[in-house]
Protein backbone atom coordinates (compact mmCIF):
# COMPACT_ATOMS: atom_id res chain seq x y z
CA UNK A 1 0.00 0.00 0.00
CA UNK A 2 1.11 3.55 -0.77
CA UNK A 3 0.36 6.36 1.69
CA UNK A 4 -0.04 9.94 0.50
CA UNK A 5 0.90 12.79 2.85
CA UNK A 6 0.05 16.46 2.31
CA UNK A 7 1.92 19.19 4.20
CA UNK A 8 0.07 22.49 3.95
CA UNK A 9 2.80 25.01 4.70
CA UNK A 10 2.82 28.78 4.66
CA UNK A 11 5.30 28.95 1.79
CA UNK A 12 4.22 25.95 -0.28
CA UNK A 13 2.49 22.58 -0.35
CA UNK A 14 4.61 19.45 -0.17
CA UNK A 15 3.26 16.00 -0.99
CA UNK A 16 5.11 12.76 -0.27
CA UNK A 17 4.17 9.19 -1.09
CA UNK A 18 5.43 6.50 1.28
CA UNK A 19 5.53 2.73 0.81
CA UNK A 20 3.86 1.36 3.95
CA UNK A 21 5.90 -1.86 3.77
CA UNK A 22 9.32 -0.20 3.73
CA UNK A 23 8.33 3.09 5.43
CA UNK A 24 10.38 4.83 2.74
CA UNK A 25 9.38 7.85 0.67
CA UNK A 26 9.09 6.80 -2.97
CA UNK A 27 7.99 10.12 -4.47
CA UNK A 28 7.61 13.73 -3.42
CA UNK A 29 6.75 17.06 -4.97
CA UNK A 30 6.33 20.67 -3.95
CA UNK A 31 4.12 23.42 -5.37
CA UNK A 32 4.50 26.25 -6.21
CA UNK A 33 8.12 26.64 -7.23
CA UNK A 34 8.27 30.09 -5.66
CA UNK A 35 7.04 30.87 -2.16
CA UNK A 36 3.32 31.54 -1.73
CA UNK A 37 2.30 35.09 -0.96
CA UNK A 38 1.05 36.27 2.42
CA UNK A 39 -1.38 39.18 2.18
CA UNK A 40 -0.90 41.96 4.77
CA UNK A 41 -3.87 44.37 4.35
CA UNK A 42 -2.79 46.19 7.54
CA UNK A 43 0.33 46.15 9.73
CA UNK A 44 0.36 42.99 11.85
CA UNK A 45 -2.19 41.20 9.66
CA UNK A 46 -1.41 38.03 7.69
CA UNK A 47 -3.87 36.25 5.41
CA UNK A 48 -3.88 33.60 2.71
CA UNK A 49 -6.60 32.43 0.34
CA UNK A 50 -7.79 28.87 1.15
CA UNK A 51 -8.65 28.55 -2.55
CA UNK A 52 -4.96 29.06 -3.31
CA UNK A 53 -4.08 26.24 -0.88
CA UNK A 54 -6.53 23.91 -2.58
CA UNK A 55 -5.24 24.75 -6.04
CA UNK A 56 -1.65 24.17 -4.91
CA UNK A 57 -2.56 20.88 -3.21
CA UNK A 58 -3.93 19.61 -6.53
CA UNK A 59 -0.79 20.58 -8.43
CA UNK A 60 1.51 19.02 -5.83
CA UNK A 61 -0.45 15.74 -5.77
CA UNK A 62 -0.37 15.46 -9.55
CA UNK A 63 3.38 16.06 -9.60
CA UNK A 64 4.02 13.40 -6.94
CA UNK A 65 1.77 10.83 -8.62
CA UNK A 66 3.86 11.03 -11.78
CA UNK A 67 6.44 8.72 -10.17
CA UNK A 68 4.11 5.99 -8.82
CA UNK A 69 1.07 3.89 -9.69
CA UNK A 70 -1.83 5.99 -8.30
CA UNK A 71 -4.05 2.90 -7.96
CA UNK A 72 -1.82 1.72 -5.07
CA UNK A 73 -2.56 4.77 -2.89
CA UNK A 74 -4.62 3.49 0.03
CA UNK A 75 -4.84 6.37 2.51
CA UNK A 76 -4.27 10.13 2.75
CA UNK A 77 -2.91 12.16 5.66
CA UNK A 78 -2.78 15.93 6.11
CA UNK A 79 -0.46 18.20 8.09
CA UNK A 80 -1.17 21.91 8.14
CA UNK A 81 -0.08 25.31 9.40
CA UNK A 82 -1.53 25.71 12.88
CA UNK A 83 -3.86 28.32 14.42
CA UNK A 84 -5.37 29.57 11.17
CA UNK A 85 -9.08 30.34 10.78
CA UNK A 86 -11.18 29.29 7.78
CA UNK A 87 -14.89 30.22 7.85
CA UNK A 88 -17.46 28.63 5.54
CA UNK A 89 -21.10 29.42 4.75
CA UNK A 90 -23.87 26.82 4.74
CA UNK A 91 -22.95 25.81 1.18
CA UNK A 92 -19.30 25.23 2.06
CA UNK A 93 -18.02 28.42 0.43
CA UNK A 94 -15.13 30.34 1.99
CA UNK A 95 -16.38 33.67 3.35
CA UNK A 96 -13.08 35.53 3.74
CA UNK A 97 -9.33 34.92 3.46
CA UNK A 98 -7.87 32.74 6.19
CA UNK A 99 -6.41 34.64 9.14
CA UNK A 100 -3.19 32.63 9.51
CA UNK A 101 -0.88 31.78 12.39
CA UNK A 102 1.38 34.86 12.27
CA UNK A 103 -1.49 37.38 12.14
CA UNK A 104 -1.49 39.58 15.26
CA UNK A 105 -4.85 41.36 15.05
CA UNK A 106 -6.59 39.26 17.72
CA UNK A 107 -4.08 39.77 20.54
CA UNK A 108 -6.27 42.27 22.39
CA UNK A 109 -9.37 40.17 21.67
CA UNK A 110 -7.68 37.24 23.40
CA UNK A 111 -6.43 39.37 26.28
CA UNK A 112 -9.97 40.62 26.96
CA UNK A 113 -11.23 37.01 26.94
CA UNK A 114 -8.51 36.02 29.42
CA UNK A 115 -9.50 38.75 31.84
CA UNK A 116 -13.20 37.95 31.52
CA UNK A 117 -12.74 34.20 32.03
CA UNK A 118 -10.12 34.74 34.71
CA UNK A 119 -6.43 33.96 34.31
CA UNK A 120 -6.45 31.11 36.82
CA UNK A 121 -9.50 29.41 35.38
CA UNK A 122 -8.34 29.84 31.78
CA UNK A 123 -4.90 28.38 32.44
CA UNK A 124 -6.23 25.49 34.50
CA UNK A 125 -8.91 24.53 31.96
CA UNK A 126 -7.53 25.70 28.58
CA UNK A 127 -3.83 25.33 29.55
CA UNK A 128 -3.33 28.59 27.63
CA UNK A 129 -4.46 32.15 27.38
CA UNK A 130 -6.93 32.61 24.48
CA UNK A 131 -4.13 34.84 23.18
CA UNK A 132 -3.93 35.21 19.43
CA UNK A 133 -5.27 31.76 18.62
CA UNK A 134 -8.11 30.61 16.38
CA UNK A 135 -10.96 31.23 18.84
CA UNK A 136 -9.80 34.82 19.33
CA UNK A 137 -9.52 35.27 15.56
CA UNK A 138 -13.11 34.09 15.20
CA UNK A 139 -14.05 36.51 18.00
CA UNK A 140 -12.35 39.30 16.06
CA UNK A 141 -14.41 38.44 12.95
CA UNK A 142 -17.59 38.46 15.05
CA UNK A 143 -16.78 41.90 16.48
CA UNK A 144 -15.36 43.55 13.36
CA UNK A 145 -17.03 41.80 10.42
CA UNK A 146 -20.54 41.05 11.73
CA UNK A 147 -22.08 40.64 8.27
CA UNK A 148 -19.55 37.93 7.47
CA UNK A 149 -19.90 36.32 10.89
CA UNK A 150 -23.67 35.99 10.65
CA UNK A 151 -23.17 33.87 7.51
CA UNK A 152 -20.63 31.53 9.13
CA UNK A 153 -21.84 27.93 9.25
CA UNK A 154 -18.54 26.26 10.15
CA UNK A 155 -15.22 27.46 11.57
CA UNK A 156 -12.26 25.28 10.66
CA UNK A 157 -8.53 24.90 10.97
CA UNK A 158 -6.64 24.89 7.63
CA UNK A 159 -6.26 21.08 7.55
CA UNK A 160 -9.96 20.60 8.24
CA UNK A 161 -10.66 22.68 5.14
CA UNK A 162 -8.37 20.64 2.87
CA UNK A 163 -9.90 17.40 4.15
CA UNK A 164 -13.36 18.84 3.44
CA UNK A 165 -12.36 19.71 -0.12
CA UNK A 166 -11.07 16.17 -0.64
CA UNK A 167 -14.03 14.35 0.90
CA UNK A 168 -17.01 16.68 1.27
CA UNK A 169 -17.11 15.88 5.02
CA UNK A 170 -16.58 18.51 7.71
CA UNK A 171 -14.67 17.09 10.68
CA UNK A 172 -12.10 18.19 13.24
CA UNK A 173 -10.26 16.68 16.23
CA UNK A 174 -9.47 17.38 19.89
CA UNK A 175 -5.90 18.20 18.86
CA UNK A 176 -7.12 20.80 16.35
CA UNK A 177 -9.63 22.30 18.78
CA UNK A 178 -6.99 22.54 21.51
CA UNK A 179 -4.64 24.49 19.22
CA UNK A 180 -7.53 26.87 18.51
CA UNK A 181 -8.21 27.24 22.28
CA UNK A 182 -11.69 25.82 21.98
CA UNK A 183 -11.05 22.80 24.29
CA UNK A 184 -11.47 22.42 28.06
CA UNK A 185 -8.89 19.87 29.24
CA UNK A 186 -10.33 19.55 32.74
CA UNK A 187 -13.79 18.66 31.43
CA UNK A 188 -12.63 17.10 28.12
CA UNK A 189 -15.20 18.87 25.98
CA UNK A 190 -15.68 22.18 24.16
CA UNK A 191 -14.95 25.06 26.51
CA UNK A 192 -18.13 26.54 27.91
CA UNK A 193 -16.09 29.53 29.09
CA UNK A 194 -14.83 30.36 25.60
CA UNK A 195 -18.13 29.75 23.83
CA UNK A 196 -20.09 31.73 26.41
CA UNK A 197 -17.69 34.68 26.47
CA UNK A 198 -17.54 35.06 22.69
CA UNK A 199 -21.17 34.11 22.13
CA UNK A 200 -20.25 31.29 19.73
CA UNK A 201 -22.75 28.56 18.86
CA UNK A 202 -21.18 25.11 19.27
CA UNK A 203 -22.81 24.21 15.93
CA UNK A 204 -19.95 26.19 14.33
CA UNK A 205 -17.60 23.33 15.20
CA UNK A 206 -17.43 20.37 12.78
CA UNK A 207 -17.90 16.80 14.02
CA UNK A 208 -15.07 15.81 16.37
CA UNK A 209 -13.21 12.61 15.44
CA UNK A 210 -9.90 11.08 16.60
CA UNK A 211 -6.79 12.25 14.76
CA UNK A 212 -6.12 8.68 13.57
CA UNK A 213 -9.52 7.88 12.11
CA UNK A 214 -11.53 8.23 8.95
CA UNK A 215 -12.29 11.87 8.15
CA UNK A 216 -14.13 11.07 4.93
CA UNK A 217 -13.39 9.43 1.59
CA UNK A 218 -12.18 10.92 -1.64
CA UNK A 219 -15.12 12.01 -3.79
CA UNK A 220 -15.50 10.87 -7.39
CA UNK A 221 -15.12 14.26 -9.04
CA UNK A 222 -12.10 15.22 -6.93
CA UNK A 223 -10.52 11.80 -7.47
CA UNK A 224 -10.90 12.11 -11.23
CA UNK A 225 -9.36 15.58 -11.20
CA UNK A 226 -6.38 14.47 -9.11
CA UNK A 227 -5.81 11.15 -10.87
CA UNK A 228 -6.62 9.04 -7.82
CA UNK A 229 -9.20 6.36 -7.09
CA UNK A 230 -12.51 7.43 -5.56
CA UNK A 231 -13.13 6.26 -2.02
CA UNK A 232 -9.58 6.58 -0.64
CA UNK A 233 -9.97 7.50 3.04
CA UNK A 234 -8.42 10.52 4.73
CA UNK A 235 -7.29 8.85 7.95
CA UNK A 236 -5.10 11.46 9.63
CA UNK A 237 -4.83 15.23 10.00
CA UNK A 238 -2.84 17.25 12.48
CA UNK A 239 -1.19 20.63 12.92
CA UNK A 240 2.32 20.93 11.56
CA UNK A 241 4.13 20.83 14.90
CA UNK A 242 2.33 17.81 16.42
CA UNK A 243 2.81 16.20 13.01
CA UNK A 244 6.51 17.09 12.94
CA UNK A 245 6.83 15.39 16.32
CA UNK A 246 5.00 12.34 14.98
CA UNK A 247 7.32 12.23 11.95
CA UNK A 248 10.25 11.99 14.38
CA UNK A 249 8.54 9.29 16.49
CA UNK A 250 8.12 11.74 19.37
CA UNK A 251 5.07 10.23 21.03
CA UNK A 252 6.04 9.41 24.63
CA UNK A 253 6.40 11.66 27.67
CA UNK A 254 9.88 13.17 27.80
CA UNK A 255 10.54 12.98 24.06
CA UNK A 256 11.26 16.28 22.28
CA UNK A 257 11.24 17.44 18.66
CA UNK A 258 12.48 20.64 17.04
CA UNK A 259 12.03 22.33 13.69
CA UNK A 260 13.53 25.46 12.19
CA UNK A 261 11.61 26.42 9.07
CA UNK A 262 9.79 29.71 8.52
CA UNK A 263 9.13 29.62 12.25
CA UNK A 264 11.06 27.70 14.89
CA UNK A 265 9.60 25.23 17.35
CA UNK A 266 10.60 23.04 20.25
CA UNK A 267 7.85 20.55 21.04
CA UNK A 268 7.99 18.23 24.06
CA UNK A 269 5.51 15.50 24.99
CA UNK A 270 4.14 15.18 28.52
CA UNK A 271 1.36 13.29 30.29
CA UNK A 272 0.70 16.22 32.65
CA UNK A 273 -1.72 19.14 32.23
CA UNK A 274 1.07 21.73 32.19
CA UNK A 275 0.76 25.43 31.53
CA UNK A 276 3.05 28.45 31.68
CA UNK A 277 1.66 31.16 33.94
CA UNK A 278 2.64 33.80 31.38
CA UNK A 279 1.49 31.73 28.35
CA UNK A 280 4.91 32.12 26.77
CA UNK A 281 4.80 28.46 25.76
CA UNK A 282 1.62 26.58 24.97
CA UNK A 283 0.18 23.14 25.68
CA UNK A 284 -2.01 21.33 23.15
CA UNK A 285 -3.42 17.84 22.74
CA UNK A 286 -0.86 15.70 20.93
CA UNK A 287 -1.83 13.46 18.02
CA UNK A 288 -2.20 10.46 20.38
CA UNK A 289 -4.17 12.29 23.08
CA UNK A 290 -6.96 10.29 24.66
CA UNK A 291 -9.06 11.31 27.66
CA UNK A 292 -7.89 8.21 29.56
CA UNK A 293 -4.28 8.34 28.27
CA UNK A 294 -3.34 11.99 28.08
CA UNK A 295 -0.48 12.93 25.77
CA UNK A 296 0.10 16.64 25.40
CA UNK A 297 2.60 18.67 23.44
CA UNK A 298 4.24 21.64 25.14
CA UNK A 299 5.11 23.98 22.28
CA UNK A 300 7.58 26.80 22.14
CA UNK A 301 7.11 28.79 18.93
CA UNK A 302 9.42 31.48 17.58
CA UNK A 303 7.74 33.22 14.66
CA UNK A 304 10.87 34.76 13.19
CA UNK A 305 13.46 32.08 12.36
CA UNK A 306 13.91 30.83 8.81
CA UNK A 307 12.01 33.86 7.54
CA UNK A 308 14.89 36.00 8.84
CA UNK A 309 17.45 33.79 7.12
CA UNK A 310 15.49 34.13 3.88
CA UNK A 311 15.09 37.90 4.26
CA UNK A 312 18.83 38.36 4.80
CA UNK A 313 19.52 36.35 1.65
CA UNK A 314 16.92 38.10 -0.49
CA UNK A 315 17.97 41.59 0.56
CA UNK A 316 21.74 41.16 0.65
CA UNK A 317 22.52 38.33 -1.77
CA UNK A 318 19.50 37.61 -3.99
CA UNK A 319 19.99 34.44 -5.97
CA UNK A 320 22.68 33.07 -3.67
CA UNK A 321 21.98 29.49 -2.58
CA UNK A 322 21.50 28.65 1.08
CA UNK A 323 24.49 26.28 0.77
CA UNK A 324 26.66 29.23 -0.29
CA UNK A 325 25.29 31.36 2.55
CA UNK A 326 26.14 28.61 5.04
CA UNK A 327 29.70 28.38 3.70
CA UNK A 328 30.20 32.13 4.04
CA UNK A 329 28.73 32.11 7.55
CA UNK A 330 31.14 29.33 8.54
CA UNK A 331 34.10 31.55 7.58
CA UNK A 332 33.30 33.93 10.45
CA UNK A 333 34.30 33.23 14.06
CA UNK A 334 31.75 32.37 16.77
CA UNK A 335 30.07 35.58 17.90
CA UNK A 336 30.09 37.23 14.45
CA UNK A 337 32.66 39.78 15.68
CA UNK A 338 30.04 41.66 17.66
CA UNK A 339 27.11 41.69 15.21
CA UNK A 340 23.89 40.70 16.97
CA UNK A 341 20.56 40.08 15.26
CA UNK A 342 17.16 39.70 16.91
CA UNK A 343 14.92 37.59 14.63
CA UNK A 344 11.56 38.79 15.96
CA UNK A 345 10.05 40.35 12.84
CA UNK A 346 7.20 38.02 11.90
CA UNK A 347 4.25 38.86 14.13
CA UNK A 348 3.67 38.88 17.87
CA UNK A 349 6.09 36.60 19.71
CA UNK A 350 4.32 34.54 22.36
CA UNK A 351 7.50 33.76 24.28
CA UNK A 352 8.03 37.53 24.60
CA UNK A 353 4.53 38.11 25.98
CA UNK A 354 2.98 38.73 22.53
CA UNK A 355 5.25 41.71 22.00
CA UNK A 356 6.17 42.94 18.51
CA UNK A 357 9.80 44.02 18.89
CA UNK A 358 10.60 43.61 15.20
CA UNK A 359 13.79 42.17 13.75
CA UNK A 360 16.86 44.21 14.74
CA UNK A 361 20.53 44.39 13.77
CA UNK A 362 23.00 45.65 16.40
CA UNK A 363 26.73 46.30 16.47
CA UNK A 364 27.24 46.70 12.73
CA UNK A 365 30.61 48.28 11.88
CA UNK A 366 30.56 49.53 8.30
CA UNK A 367 34.36 49.47 8.12
CA UNK A 368 34.77 45.89 9.30
CA UNK A 369 31.72 43.72 8.83
CA UNK A 370 30.74 41.94 5.62
CA UNK A 371 27.68 40.11 4.43
CA UNK A 372 29.20 36.92 5.84
CA UNK A 373 29.02 38.46 9.31
CA UNK A 374 25.31 39.12 8.77
CA UNK A 375 24.75 35.57 7.53
CA UNK A 376 26.37 34.15 10.66
CA UNK A 377 24.79 36.65 13.06
CA UNK A 378 21.34 35.81 11.68
CA UNK A 379 21.81 32.08 12.29
CA UNK A 380 23.33 32.67 15.73
CA UNK A 381 20.47 35.03 16.63
CA UNK A 382 17.97 32.34 15.69
CA UNK A 383 19.86 29.72 17.73
CA UNK A 384 19.96 32.15 20.68
CA UNK A 385 16.19 32.60 20.46
CA UNK A 386 15.85 28.82 20.79
CA UNK A 387 18.03 28.91 23.92
CA UNK A 388 15.86 31.71 25.33
CA UNK A 389 12.75 29.64 24.71
CA UNK A 390 14.26 26.40 26.00
CA UNK A 391 15.03 28.15 29.28
CA UNK A 392 11.31 28.96 29.54
CA UNK A 393 10.49 25.30 28.92
CA UNK A 394 12.95 24.33 31.64
CA UNK A 395 11.16 26.68 34.04
CA UNK A 396 8.03 24.67 33.29
CA UNK A 397 9.60 21.29 34.01
CA UNK A 398 10.63 20.26 30.48
CA UNK A 399 14.32 19.29 30.54
CA UNK A 400 15.15 17.40 27.35
CA UNK A 401 18.19 15.13 27.36
CA UNK A 402 18.05 14.82 23.54
CA UNK A 403 16.22 16.62 20.77
CA UNK A 404 15.16 15.07 17.46
CA UNK A 405 14.98 17.18 14.32
CA UNK A 406 14.52 16.69 10.62
CA UNK A 407 17.61 17.31 8.49
CA UNK A 408 15.98 20.23 6.71
CA UNK A 409 15.82 24.02 6.59
CA UNK A 410 18.20 25.61 9.12
CA UNK A 411 19.33 22.22 10.41
CA UNK A 412 21.09 21.81 7.05
CA UNK A 413 23.49 24.54 8.20
CA UNK A 414 26.46 23.41 10.31
CA UNK A 415 26.71 26.94 11.71
CA UNK A 416 23.14 26.97 12.97
CA UNK A 417 23.15 23.35 14.18
CA UNK A 418 26.41 23.78 16.09
CA UNK A 419 25.22 27.03 17.65
CA UNK A 420 21.90 25.40 18.62
CA UNK A 421 23.57 22.40 20.27
CA UNK A 422 26.36 24.26 22.04
CA UNK A 423 24.21 27.09 23.43
CA UNK A 424 21.38 24.79 24.59
CA UNK A 425 23.71 22.03 25.80
CA UNK A 426 21.39 19.38 24.36
CA UNK A 427 22.45 16.74 21.77
CA UNK A 428 20.48 16.73 18.53
CA UNK A 429 19.68 13.62 16.48
CA UNK A 430 18.99 14.49 12.83
CA UNK A 431 16.69 12.40 10.65
CA UNK A 432 15.81 12.42 6.97
CA UNK A 433 12.14 13.03 7.47
CA UNK A 434 9.68 15.86 6.99
CA UNK A 435 6.09 16.87 7.57
CA UNK A 436 4.67 15.36 4.42
CA UNK A 437 6.29 11.99 5.17
CA UNK A 438 4.94 12.24 8.71
CA UNK A 439 1.46 12.91 7.36
CA UNK A 440 1.73 9.85 5.11
CA UNK A 441 2.83 7.64 8.01
CA UNK A 442 0.02 9.15 10.11
CA UNK A 443 -2.42 8.07 7.41
CA UNK A 444 -0.92 4.58 7.64
CA UNK A 445 -1.52 4.51 11.39
CA UNK A 446 -5.08 5.71 10.82
CA UNK A 447 -5.81 3.01 8.22
CA UNK A 448 -4.13 0.38 10.46
CA UNK A 449 -1.33 -0.37 8.01
CA UNK A 450 0.94 -0.68 11.07
CA UNK A 451 0.53 -2.74 14.23
CA UNK A 452 0.72 0.43 16.38
CA UNK A 453 1.99 4.00 16.29
CA UNK A 454 5.62 3.14 17.05
CA UNK A 455 5.63 0.38 14.43
CA UNK A 456 5.30 3.05 11.76
CA UNK A 457 8.84 4.20 12.61
CA UNK A 458 10.53 0.85 13.19
CA UNK A 459 13.01 1.48 10.35
CA UNK A 460 13.87 5.07 11.27
CA UNK A 461 17.49 5.78 12.26
CA UNK A 462 19.30 9.10 12.74
CA UNK A 463 21.63 10.09 9.95
CA UNK A 464 23.69 12.37 12.17
CA UNK A 465 24.08 13.23 15.85
CA UNK A 466 25.58 16.53 17.03
CA UNK A 467 26.90 16.59 20.61
CA UNK A 468 27.77 19.48 22.93
CA UNK A 469 31.51 19.91 23.28
CA UNK A 470 31.39 21.52 26.68
CA UNK A 471 33.58 24.40 25.45
CA UNK A 472 30.87 27.02 25.10
CA UNK A 473 32.57 30.18 26.37
CA UNK A 474 32.44 32.08 23.08
CA UNK A 475 28.79 31.17 22.54
CA UNK A 476 27.83 32.07 26.12
CA UNK A 477 29.47 35.49 25.83
CA UNK A 478 27.71 36.16 22.54
CA UNK A 479 24.39 34.89 23.93
CA UNK A 480 24.55 37.07 27.05
CA UNK A 481 25.31 40.10 24.87
CA UNK A 482 22.36 39.14 22.61
CA UNK A 483 20.12 38.60 25.66
CA UNK A 484 20.79 42.11 26.92
CA UNK A 485 19.13 43.41 23.74
CA UNK A 486 15.92 41.35 24.01
Amino acid sequence: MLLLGIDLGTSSIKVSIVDARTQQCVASARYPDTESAISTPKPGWAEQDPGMWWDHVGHAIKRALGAVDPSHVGAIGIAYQMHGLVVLDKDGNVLRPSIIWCDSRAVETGNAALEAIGRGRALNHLLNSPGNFTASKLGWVKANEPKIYERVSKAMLPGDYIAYKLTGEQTTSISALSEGIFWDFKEDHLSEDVFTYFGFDTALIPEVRPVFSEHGRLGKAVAAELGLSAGIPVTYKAGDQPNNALSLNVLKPGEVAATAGTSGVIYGVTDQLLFDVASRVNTFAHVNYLPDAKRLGVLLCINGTGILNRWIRDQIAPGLSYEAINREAASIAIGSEGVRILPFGNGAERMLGNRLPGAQIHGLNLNKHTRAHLFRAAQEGIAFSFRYGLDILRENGMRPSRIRAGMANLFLSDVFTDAFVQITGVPVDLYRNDGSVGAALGAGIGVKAFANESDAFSRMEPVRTVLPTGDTGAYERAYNDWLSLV
Side-chain angles (χ1 to χ4, degrees), residues 132-457:
N132 191 37
F133 297 110
T134 312
S136 297
K137 290 167 180 170
L138 182 60
W140 184 92
V141 172
K142 185 173 187 283
N144 293 276
E145 299 175 344
K147 290 185 178 179
I148 290 176
Y149 181 82
E150 68 185 18
R151 296 172 59 201
V152 176
S153 174
K154 286 290 182 285
M156 295 180 160
L157 279 294
D160 297 333
Y161 174 72
I162 296 302
Y164 164 65
K165 293 294 289 183
L166 288 167
T167 68
E169 291 196 39
Q170 298 175 340
T171 74
T172 192
S173 68
I174 292 174
S175 183
L177 293 170
S178 75
E179 72 172 80
I181 318 300
F182 291 107
W183 195 255
D184 186 321
F185 283 96
K186 282 291 182 72
E187 305 298 334
D188 262 322
H189 57 54
L190 292 174
S191 169
E192 293 180 6
D193 292 325
V194 169
F195 281 78
T196 298
Y197 171 77
F198 283 117
F200 298 154
D201 189 330
T202 57
L204 294 175
I205 302 300
E207 180 184 345
V208 181
R209 297 182 186 175
V211 168
F212 300 108
S213 69
E214 187 175 306
H215 294 273
R217 289 180 174 266
L218 200 60
K220 288 183 179 180
V222 172
E225 171 62 23
L226 297 176
L228 288 165
S229 302
I232 298 172
V234 174
T235 53
Y236 170 82
K237 55 180 175 175
D240 51 11
Q241 298 311 322
N243 176 74
N244 181 64
L246 171 79
S247 74
L248 295 165
N249 195 21
V250 170
L251 294 165
K252 299 174 184 176
E255 296 178 336
V256 178
T259 184
T262 302
S263 62
V265 167
I266 298 178
Y267 185 99
V269 178
T270 180
D271 55 4
Q272 305 297 310
L273 298 183
L274 297 178
F275 60 83
D276 177 56
V277 293
S279 290
R280 297 166 297 174
V281 298
N282 303 102
T283 303
F284 307 118
H286 195 25
V287 294
N288 55 346
Y289 177 93
L290 295 170
D292 58 350
K294 290 179 169 43
R295 296 291 182 268
L296 301 107
V298 181
L299 185 151
L300 160 78
C301 181
I302 309 159
N303 287 354
T305 54
I307 193 171
L308 168 67
N309 202 43
R310 185 189 74 198
W311 186 90
I312 290 282
R313 182 196 67 174
D314 291 350
Q315 303 306 315
I316 295 175
L320 196 66
S321 70
Y322 286 117
E323 291 83 356
I325 285 172
N326 296 340
R327 285 194 299 271
E328 289 195 28
S331 71
I332 304 300
I334 294 169
S336 305
E337 294 193 88
V339 181
R340 304 285 178 258
I341 296 183
L342 304 185
F344 310 121
N346 191 32
E349 292 286 356
R350 290 200 294 278
M351 75 174 188
L352 300 179
N354 275 328
R355 286 191 289 122
L356 286 156
Q360 302 174 28
I361 301 174
H362 294 263
L364 190 63
N365 184 327
L366 301 179
N367 296 309
K368 178 172 71 172
H369 294 132
T370 66
R371 71 181 190 181
H373 289 86
L374 291 172
F375 294 157
R376 182 172 190 111
Q379 294 191 22
E380 287 184 341
I382 295 164
F384 294 161
S385 69
F386 273 97
R387 159 68 184 274
Y388 183 95
L390 185 57
D391 285 348
I392 295 172
L393 287 171
R394 286 167 171 152
E395 288 177 29
N396 285 276
M398 298 289 294
R399 294 180 174 84
S401 58
R402 300 188 84 80
I403 291 175
R404 299 176 191 173
M407 202 161 181
N409 301 313
L410 280 163
F411 280 107
L412 291 171
S413 167
D414 289 341
V415 168
F416 169 78
T417 304
D418 184 66
F420 179 99
V421 170
Q422 305 312 326
I423 201 61
T424 63
V426 182
V428 169
D429 295 320
L430 294 169
Y431 296 83
R432 293 199 187 280
N433 222 340
D434 66 18
S436 58
V437 171
L441 292 170
I445 295 168
V447 81
K448 297 183 169 40
F450 306 110
N452 52 51
E453 293 160 2
S454 295
D455 185 50
F457 306 94

